[in-house]
Structure formats: structure tokens, C-alpha cells
Amino acid sequence: MSDLIKQAAVDLAGSDNVVVLTGAGISVESGIPPFRGKGGVWERVDPMEYATIDAFMRDPGRVWDVLVREMKNCIDRSRPNDAHYGLATLEKMGIVKTVITQNVDGLHQAAGSTDVIEFHGNFAWLRCMECGQREETRKIAMAEIPPRCSCGGILRPEVIFFGEQIPTAALMRSEQIASRCDIMLVVGTSAVVQPAAYMPVVAKNSGARVIEINPERTPLTASTSDYLVQGKAGKVMRKLVEEIERLR
Ligand code: APR
């Protein structure tokens, strides 16, 4: 086991106020591709053309066809992995307080985490752009693109497109808990999309330690993180939880 996993286990085991920030990388081992990097969605799909609210409003059918349909297929088939389960275990052990996630796949809740702040919304629900009626995404047949509400209006996912505001409550609470935690654990995010990427900086500036888990370095690694545990989230979290259980 790497020395940094041991170090992270000691640090985490000694805290009862850890806040976690997660990104697409934590769900890669669940079969959901990341956005950036090798095999990332933005390699094939230009986000400025398909992931902005303007693009969706201009041509919802095109955005459903190219981006949202693929997301639905991946998320419908996905199950939590050891990283999601590990964070839920750390919550039960009284170490992790809250998970702030940029992901819309609902896998933290599926794994048992009970306090999850969804920064970019959740893909589990669609909302009619005409009447506001909500429908469960997994129950929608994809025979018609874009899918429509019984009133005839177009259904949109309850996720935040580029150009939309982060829900105020999510943003305010995230900043508050980031400024009060002992440790911020940052798992599987490239840390390039704001304001989510700013949360570890808030934590650091308020005196917290920042620990990253990622196979790659990120902009936080040199500037903000105390250290990077290099590796895949599922594998690292499995070892980390084993080590914390041994220490306690
Ligand atoms: N375990 C941990 N991390 C991984 C793994 C893995 N198995 N595989 C890849 N990663 C890392 C990559 O090295 C990268 O740093 O996960 C990160 C994924 O980065 P992004 O795809 O940019 O995902 P994220 O940071 O969540 O993106 C933020 O951008 O397009 C938007 O709205 C979208 O919420 C998303 C936001």
C-alpha cells in the first residue's frame, strides 16, 4: 500500500468533519465516461454546441439526440462502485459529513450517502418546459426525441447546462461547509469548472487540509492540495476504507 494511502487513512480517521467534492472520475468505474481527457464526452461532442442552455433552447431535439440520450443510456445501466460505497461507509463511521457532487447520476445516494449536495442537478428527473410537470427519467421511453409531456411540452433534464446558474441553496451551503470542514477530500474531478473547483480553495483558505484522489494531476495539485493519492477512485477508496477500519 502506498504511503500516501496510509497518510490519508490517518488524516481521515482523525476527523469527524470531512467534506467531499466529487466529479465525473468517481463514476468512471461505474461505466459512465468522464467529460474531459481520454475517452471523454467532450472529445466527441462540442460542449459549446450541445451543452449550453442556449443550444438546448434553440434545438432541444438535437441536444437530446446527440448528448442526453447517451447520458440516459449510461446512467440507466450504472451501479455505484467501491468509491461511492466507500464514501457512504465513511459517513456511517462519522468521518464524512457531506458530499458535494458535480455528477448528475445519483450514484452517491444509491450507495447510501445521505447528505449529498448536487451542484449540477440530477438526471433522475425531467421537467416539462411548458407546464412544469416532472417525470422520472428512467420511465421515459425514447421512442420520441425530444420526449414530450402529456401537455405536449418538451421535457428537459433537471441538470444545469452551461450558462445556467448553480442552485443558490447548493452554492451557499457548499461554501459554508467548505469553510468549516477539517479536511476536503477531492475525488475524480479535473477541477476546471467553476464555481465547484473553488470549494477546495475555500476549504484551504479556511485552514482545512485538502486531499485529492485522481489518476492525474489537476490544477489543484500544485496550488491547493496537501497531497494527491494517485490512482483510480474505486481502488484507492477500497484500500483507504480498509486501512481506516484497521486504525479505528
Ligand atoms: N478515478 C478517479 N478519477 C478519475 C478516474 C477514476 N477511475 N478516471 C478519470 N478520472 C479523473 C480524470 O483524471 C479527471 O481529472 O476524473 C476527472 C474527470 O474530469 P472531468 O471529465 O472534467 O469531470 P468533472 O471535473 O466532474 O467536470 C466538471 O464539467 O462539463 C462539465 O458539467 C460537467 O459536472 C461536469 C463538470
Side-chain angles (χ1 to χ4, degrees):
M1 190 188 311
S2 89
D3 286 349
L4 282 179
I5 293 186
K6 284 193 179 156
Q7 172 74 56
V10 169
D11 287 342
L12 293 168
S15 173
D16 62 359
N17 187 10
V18 175
V19 170
V20 186
L21 172 68
T22 66
I26 197 170
S27 295
V28 165
E29 288 150 273
S30 293
I32 302 176
F35 295 99
R36 296 172 186 78
K38 215 168 139 263
V41 177
W42 301 154
E43 253 183 3
R44 289 169 284 121
V45 176
D46 178 355
M48 288 306 116
E49 221 178 297
Y50 293 100
T52 66
I53 187 61
D54 288 349
F56 190 82
M57 297 309 274
R58 222 173 9 239
D59 194 344
R62 190 161 171 257
V63 172
W64 261 100
D65 200 28
V66 173
L67 180 63
V68 187
R69 184 206 301 261
E70 178 187 324
M71 281 177 72
K72 176 169 160 56
N73 287 340
C74 288
I75 293 176
D76 278 353
R77 282 196 302 258
S78 67
R79 297 285 173 275
N81 65 54
D82 284 343
H84 301 101
Y85 286 121
L87 292 176
T89 302
L90 295 187
E91 182 191 310
K92 284 195 196 83
M93 293 173 85
I95 294 171
V96 164
K97 280 273 177 294
T98 304
V99 176
I100 304 169
T101 189
Q102 298 165 84
N103 301 344
V104 297
D105 53 34
L107 292 178
H108 286 298
Q109 294 92 327
S113 287
T114 64
D115 189 15
V116 181
I117 300 178
E118 291 176 315
F119 226 73
H120 294 158
N122 191 316
F123 195 69
W125 290 90
L126 306 176
R127 190 174 66 242
C128 174
M129 298 205 297
E130 295 296 327
C131 73
Q133 170 78 22
R134 296 170 81 230
E135 304 281 350
E136 254 188 286
T137 310
R138 66 184 172 84
K139 291 188 181 158
I140 295 290
M142 299 290 283
E144 188 192 13
I145 294 281
R148 287 179 186 271
C149 174
S150 50
C151 83
I154 291 171
L155 293 167
R156 64 158 288 175
E158 287 196 331
V159 301
I160 307 298
F161 284 98
F162 283 114
E164 291 192 289
Q165 294 289 322
I166 304 298
T168 311
L171 184 56
M172 285 179 60
R173 184 157 175 251
S174 297
E175 277 182 344
Q176 190 187 53
I177 60 174
S179 69
R180 293 182 186 163
C181 64
D182 301 335
I183 297 177
M184 180 163 285
L185 181 62
V186 182
V187 188
T189 177
S190 60
V192 294
V193 174
Q194 298 296 355
Y198 186 58
M199 296 304 138
V201 179
V202 171
K204 184 73 182 178
N205 289 344
S206 310
R209 309 200 86 184
V210 175
I211 305 173
E212 268 189 285
I213 300 175
N214 199 309
E216 311 281 344
R217 294 172 64 83
T218 76
L220 294 175
T221 311
S223 61
T224 304
S225 302
D226 286 85
Y227 53 91
L228 164 70
V229 183
Q230 210 154 4
K232 293 183 176 178
K235 211 169 155 196
V236 170
M237 281 300 302
R238 192 166 55 241
K239 289 188 187 158
L240 199 50
V241 170
E242 274 170 21
E243 185 64 11
I244 291 171
E245 281 169 341
R246 208 180 59 74
L247 289 173
R248 282 213 152 181

